[in-house]
Amino acid sequence: MKDEVMTNIVSLLESDETFAEIVEKILREAERYLCTSHAAVLQVSTDGKLINTVISYAGEGELPLKINNIPKSKFLIGSDELKCCATGRCSEEEKYALEAFGVRSSVVVPIFINDSCAMYFAVFDVRNELCFDKVRMQFIRDVSRIIQSIAQKKVTNNSLLSSYEVLRDILSSIGSGIMVFDKHGDEIYFENDVARKTDEVRRTIQKCVKERVIRQDNAKKPENDEETETERPIEHYDPESGLWFEIKFSDLTWIDGSAVIVCTAVDITQKKKNQQKIEYQANNDFLTGLYNRMKCELDLRNIIRDAVCSNQKGALMFIDLDDFKHINDGLGHQYGDLLLQQIAAGLQGIPGLRGHCYRMGGDEFVVIVKPEQFIGISKIIKNVVALFNRPWYLRGTEYFCTMSMGVATFPDNSDDVHEIVKMADMAMYDAKRSGKNRYNFYDGSKNHNTVQRLDIENNMRQAVASQIHEFVVFYQPVVDTVTKKCMSCEALVRWDSKALGFMGPGDFIPLAEYLGLITDIGDYVLEEACRQCKIWNDKGYKDFHINVNLSVVQLLQQNVVENVGRILSRTGVNPRNIVLEITESFAINDMERVLKIISGLKALGPRIALDDFGTGYSSLNYIKQLPLNIIKVDKTFIDDIVEDEYAQAFVKLIVDLSKTIGTQIVVEGIEDIEQYNLLKKIGVNYIQGYYFGKPVPANQFEFEYLGKVLNDNK
Ligand code: C2E
Ligand code: CA
Ligand code: CA
């Protein structure tokens, strides 16, 4: 700080401004270092009797001191020597003088012009009794000598010699290195002690001056004083010493009238280190060590620009973990954190991705695929998908945590940083909506409207809070292939929103899970279904039962068992007539915990069905460990079953296995008679699908399906 201030003050020696203007700048600079409340240059009247202010400086919030027409005898001087006073440490007389100006400490230095004391440089403080150390006193002396030199120069009209001596003295005592070169940077006119004695400083200055000369020659700029004055300092790293320097140049006229380059070098290594630390903190995610959102935007800006320039393509992949919130809540934050760290390390470990993975916050990650790697993007995507297809080890157990990913490419989708991130985010959200655990490319022709998403969000919050009846439950028949009788159904929710229209679960369940509203909606559906089941049971269909879906998010609530128990008893339904459907993705995590929850639910009376079997990871071995009553084979197996022999063999295997482990099989998504006949032949007992009927409202269901024998050539 001191050196920087002094360098600035020294550079004012060459200024062409008026004395008052220069001195004002000097005072302001000096106070940056001294930090006292006031400073002033005072003048002695020509008769030598009175003191007047020439220029004064008052710190922020301070009133200016009024020192005008003060008899010299009443001032702080006495003799024409430097004088340092503080109210607690001076004579009565001095104390009286200080108090007359409202000052508590002062340093006053006489300034001589042509051998007579003509001015004073004075530093005051109105708040404290200051005690200046040696370094500060020397600084004050140096400043006064510069003021003296400027005044003298003005008086004697460029008395170069005196300013040279002052300059040389001062430059030598400054902590930073200073060297003066001819304007070609060849000949050294002057160097101070620091430059002479410190190799790295000398080396750095010489190198920087050479480079500057070359730079200026190339730019062929006319030597324009005003422009060079505002030249920005450069930062230079000296690899040999490992030090950083800030280098400043000024073009001055030297004592002998020749044009020179003055170059100063200040060691800023410490500052740089602090800066790097701050930069690291600003650009990195503390938890995972990945870069953060800010750095992502910074990098992306550059990478997109390069891609545009070189006419190449790159991509941004936006990854959001599925149901992380609930893993986090369920296991505790420290394990959630651990999982995030493992995922971060996993992403960084994928070839080509090191240094281009970012954590955007929460459970969101971004990967930038640079143009150089874009050709291999499908491999990269495959690797990312593979990463999430294997379990993570937490608390000694295997956990699966899937992700949904959106990919946007630049510059074709957009060349704007924020837009690209938004597009990848939207594509990610589409992946979530279509069932999670998948990826999606941004498709501009699709209407992924974030406004719409917000709209849904607000409306859903409102509906859950005050219009829960907007959610309606439909029932889809499940049919016994032997008797053709419909003795059960699945409850499927719909949202009949006043504001947004009628929506299927695919349009709002993922968002409801994401927002944590699924528990309220799910409880409502369960209660409705229980009530309906009791009504139908009471009408004489004593064994008729209803399947109800439970979201993973609901299942991971601490009080899920009590909650379900409360609803069952409140509605008075026979719990044996309720089947709770849980999805594979729940069943796959932390076996111990899953077993506890499932057993807790079973103990209340309902049966348990494993939903969407075949879409996830569960091996048959795994399923054997769960106390399941029913397995529902997913529609994806059925779609091609008529042609696909593998699918046929698979379903047959499950049917056979189910007999040995005592579970029922329900096959979903039967749409035509060929599928129906084939499954019947394989030995499937229960079927659910459009072939027999779509989900319909309760009254329609009662009319068309309840307890009915259905015609199989519908
Ligand atoms: P899911 O549990 O697998 O339900 C079966 C879905 O397949 C239903 O879609 C049903 O209408 C559809 N489906 C049945 N047969 C056929 C067929 O032959 N062809 C075709 N193309 N589709 C058929 P829906 O009602 O749109 O529900 C979708 C998903 O939303 C459900 O899949 C379930 O995961 C979820 N869901 C529905 N209601 C609830 C609920 O109350 N709570 C929770 N947590 N999830 C629900
Ligand atoms: Ca289901
Ligand atoms: Ca299903």
Side-chain angles (χ1 to χ4, degrees):
M1 173 72 156
K2 171 176 159 269
D3 294 339
E4 187 197 328
V5 164
M6 191 48 95
T7 313
N8 291 345
I9 292 179
V10 168
S11 73
L12 290 167
L13 271 172
E14 283 291 320
S15 172
D16 289 332
E17 290 164 296
T18 65
F19 180 70
E21 283 166 343
I22 301 172
V23 170
E24 194 187 320
K25 284 187 185 165
I26 291 180
L27 293 185
R28 210 177 319 122
E29 275 296 326
E31 278 301 329
R32 279 211 302 137
Y33 169 60
L34 292 170
C35 297
T36 65
S37 68
H38 293 83
V41 169
L42 310 158
Q43 198 169 24
V44 186
S45 59
T46 18
D47 61 6
K49 286 186 181 151
L50 296 174
I51 309 280
N52 282 298
T53 303
V54 180
I55 290 292
S56 69
Y57 161 92
E60 230 186 284
E62 301 288 356
L63 295 169
L65 294 181
K66 289 205 181 79
I67 306 180
N68 278 317
N69 294 327
I70 307 290
K72 196 177 170 188
S73 54
K74 294 244 169 81
F75 195 55
L76 294 156
I77 322 296
S79 65
D80 287 339
E81 277 166 14
L82 182 146
K83 190 138 197 179
C84 197
C85 303
T87 41
R89 284 176 269 108
C90 59
S91 66
E92 276 301 305
E93 205 181 333
E94 286 164 343
K95 190 175 159 197
Y96 185 75
L98 282 173
E99 281 168 354
F101 306 122
V103 164
R104 303 190 66 181
S105 40
S106 70
V107 180
V108 179
V109 194
I111 294 175
F112 294 86
I113 307 284
N114 293 342
D115 294 332
S116 79
C117 174
M119 287 191 270
Y120 296 96
F121 169 47
V123 174
F124 300 109
D125 200 275
V126 296
R127 297 161 303 213
N128 302 309
E129 292 173 17
L130 298 176
C131 181
F132 290 99
D133 58 12
K134 256 187 168 163
V135 181
R136 276 158 191 270
M137 288 309 289
Q138 188 55 49
F139 176 82
I140 293 172
R141 271 198 199 92
D142 287 345
V143 172
S144 77
R145 292 180 69 183
I146 291 173
I147 297 172
Q148 177 175 26
S149 160
I150 292 167
Q152 181 77 48
K153 197 165 106 183
K154 296 289 170 191
V155 172
T156 60
N157 202 7
N158 288 337
S159 165
L160 292 170
L161 196 67
S162 64
S163 63
Y164 175 63
E165 275 166 7
V166 174
L167 181 68
R168 201 180 49 193
D169 278 9
I170 292 167
L171 294 183
S172 291
S173 65
I174 280 182
S176 46
I178 298 183
M179 292 176 79
V180 179
F181 297 84
D182 72 319
K183 67 175 186 178
H184 304 294
D186 297 327
E187 199 181 324
I188 299 170
Y189 279 20
F190 169 84
E191 57 192 316
N192 74 350
D193 286 354
V194 177
R196 192 169 24 250
K197 290 177 190 157
T198 334
D199 279 351
E200 56 267 19
V201 172
R202 200 161 204 276
R203 177 166 70 222
T204 300
I205 291 183
Q206 281 179 313
K207 184 155 185 267
C208 291
V209 166
K210 275 262 139 41
E211 284 171 2
R212 181 182 187 251
V213 170
I214 293 169
R215 223 172 23 243
Q216 288 196 330
D217 284 354
N218 288 344
K220 288 210 186 76
K221 259 219 217 108
E223 280 158 50
N224 183 333
D225 285 347
E226 270 160 57
E227 204 147 322
T228 45
E229 239 175 70
T230 56
E231 187 173 333
R232 297 227 332 241
I234 55 171
E235 289 182 347
H236 181 89
Y237 179 69
D238 178 49
E240 240 171 281
S241 60
L243 297 178
W244 278 93
F245 292 97
E246 183 177 79
I247 308 291
K248 282 189 196 163
F249 303 103
S250 25
D251 295 303
L252 299 178
T253 309
W254 197 236
I255 324 295
D256 59 4
S258 54
V260 295
I261 307 167
V262 177
C263 179
T264 63
V266 181
D267 182 343
I268 52 160
T269 311
Q270 197 52 44
K271 181 173 137 197
K272 201 78 192 161
K273 274 187 186 152
N274 294 341
Q275 216 173 41
Q276 277 165 353
K277 211 159 126 196
I278 291 167
E279 238 164 64
Y280 180 85
Q281 282 165 352
N283 283 332
N284 283 259
D285 170 49
F286 178 70
L287 178 67
T288 60
L290 293 184
Y291 290 134
N292 61 15
R293 178 184 287 271
M294 220 171 88
K295 175 80 165 140
C296 173
E297 288 173 2
L298 213 74
D299 287 357
L300 190 59
R301 186 158 298 127
N302 293 331
I303 293 171
I304 291 180
R305 201 192 39 226
D306 291 353
V308 170
C309 288
S310 60
N311 207 6
Q312 282 180 302
K313 249 169 104 166
L316 183 122
M317 322 204 303
F318 197 107
I319 297 170
D320 187 291
L321 307 184
D322 297 332
D323 304 322
F324 173 73
K325 259 194 212 123
H326 314 290
I327 289 187
N328 205 27
D329 293 347
L331 279 175
H333 287 269
Q334 67 273 43
Y335 289 99
D337 287 354
L338 212 63
L339 178 62
L340 291 175
Q341 285 166 347
Q342 287 188 21
I343 289 171
L347 283 174
Q348 290 261 67
I350 293 174
L353 297 194
R354 184 162 295 281
H356 299 289
C357 304
Y358 308 80
R359 177 162 171 241
M360 303 300 267
D363 60 347
E364 294 171 351
F365 296 87
V366 155
V367 170
I368 300 180
V369 179
K370 294 174 67 173
E372 301 92 277
Q373 300 153 340
F374 189 74
I375 193 166
I377 186 164
S378 49
K379 183 89 199 279
I380 292 177
I381 291 178
K382 228 182 185 165
N383 283 333
V384 173
V385 169
L387 181 71
F388 287 92
N389 275 340
R390 28 161 260 234
W392 308 94
Y393 293 92
L394 295 173
R395 243 178 22 182
T397 325
E398 291 187 358
Y399 280 86
F400 280 90
C401 175
T402 60
M403 59 86 199
S404 303
M405 177 162 77
V407 187
T409 52
F410 49 78
D412 52 337
N413 285 160
S414 167
D415 59 5
D416 178 83
V417 169
H418 294 110
E419 235 168 3
I420 279 290
V421 175
K422 209 169 90 193
M423 286 166 168
D425 182 14
M426 286 192 258
M428 179 281 291
Y429 185 70
D430 275 350
K432 280 234 194 280
R433 269 163 60 113
S434 6
K436 308 181 182 174
N437 189 24
R438 65 196 64 205
Y439 68 90
N440 232 351
F441 275 85
Y442 174 78
D443 176 359
S445 64
K446 243 169 140 183
N447 181 24
H448 337 236
N449 209 331
T450 36
V451 177
Q452 190 190 338
R453 170 166 149 193
L454 270 183
D455 225 31
I456 300 185
E457 180 172 339
N458 289 336
N459 275 292
M460 195 179 335
R461 287 188 194 284
Q462 234 173 52
V464 166
S466 58
Q467 285 123 17
I468 194 81
H469 291 284
E470 283 195 2
F471 296 96
V472 284
V473 183
F474 277 34
Y475 300 89
Q476 183 180 28
V478 176
V479 178
D480 183 328
T481 53
V482 179
T483 64
K484 309 260 174 52
K485 232 174 148 181
C486 169
M487 283 311 291
S488 71
C489 64
E490 178 172 3
L492 294 158
V493 70
R494 272 88 184 101
W495 181 16
D496 192 6
S497 162
K498 248 197 224 89
L500 303 166
F502 192 85
M503 272 181 273
D507 293 330
F508 66 91
I509 294 247
L511 186 61
E513 290 183 326
Y514 186 72
L515 299 174
L517 296 173
I518 190 66
T519 315
D520 292 314
I521 299 174
D523 284 354
Y524 172 76
V525 173
L526 178 62
E527 186 153 348
E528 280 296 297
C530 289
R531 213 165 257 147
Q532 191 59 61
C533 191
K534 178 155 167 50
I535 292 174
W536 286 335
N537 291 154
D538 289 350
K539 281 194 172 174
Y541 306 95
K542 261 178 59 197
D543 295 327
F544 188 85
H545 56 263
I546 297 186
N547 290 25
V548 183
N549 294 284
L550 292 184
S551 145
V552 176
V553 178
Q554 273 173 286
L555 285 160
L556 288 173
Q557 301 292 312
Q558 294 296 346
N559 56 356
V560 58
V561 177
E562 288 97 307
N563 207 22
V564 169
R566 203 171 328 120
I567 294 172
L568 288 172
S569 57
R570 191 159 58 210
T571 56
V573 72
N574 175 3
R576 293 282 311 149
N577 287 342
I578 295 299
V579 177
L580 300 175
E581 296 195 1
I582 62 173
T583 64
E584 247 192 332
S585 53
F586 168 67
I588 209 74
N589 278 320
D590 187 359
M591 195 49 149
E592 211 179 303
R593 183 149 181 230
V594 168
L595 273 175
K596 212 173 126 207
I597 295 171
I598 295 182
S599 315
L601 290 172
K602 264 187 100 162
L604 298 170
R607 281 175 289 169
I608 306 292
L610 183 71
D611 203 358
D612 302 337
F613 179 72
T615 56
Y617 320 91
S618 27
S619 66
L620 295 171
N621 269 338
Y622 192 91
I623 283 170
K624 272 199 276 191
Q625 300 178 52
L626 296 172
L628 299 171
N629 305 96
I630 297 162
I631 293 172
K632 297 188 76 173
V633 178
D634 194 73
K635 179 174 179 300
T636 46
F637 270 100
I638 309 313
D639 286 342
D640 303 320
I641 196 154
V642 177
E643 304 91 49
D644 187 344
E645 284 173 15
Y646 170 77
Q648 289 173 18
F650 181 82
V651 175
K652 179 119 190 19
L653 176 68
I654 299 166
V655 169
D656 293 345
L657 187 86
S658 72
K659 285 178 189 141
T660 67
I661 59 175
T663 50
Q664 276 178 11
I665 298 290
V666 177
V667 175
E668 293 186 280
I670 293 21
E671 293 184 342
D672 55 47
I673 188 146
E674 284 88 19
Q675 292 171 336
Y676 173 68
N677 286 336
L678 188 97
L679 289 165
K680 210 170 129 177
K681 203 172 94 204
I682 289 176
V684 173
N685 278 346
Y686 297 94
I687 274 180
Q688 177 182 351
Y690 291 177
Y691 176 63
F692 282 115
K694 290 191 175 179
V696 291
N699 52 357
Q700 190 182 346
F701 183 88
E702 186 173 327
F703 181 70
E704 288 184 17
Y705 306 109
L706 183 65
K708 298 233 157 49
V709 174
L710 300 177
N711 187 349
D712 57 347
N713 2 307
K714 278 183 83 125

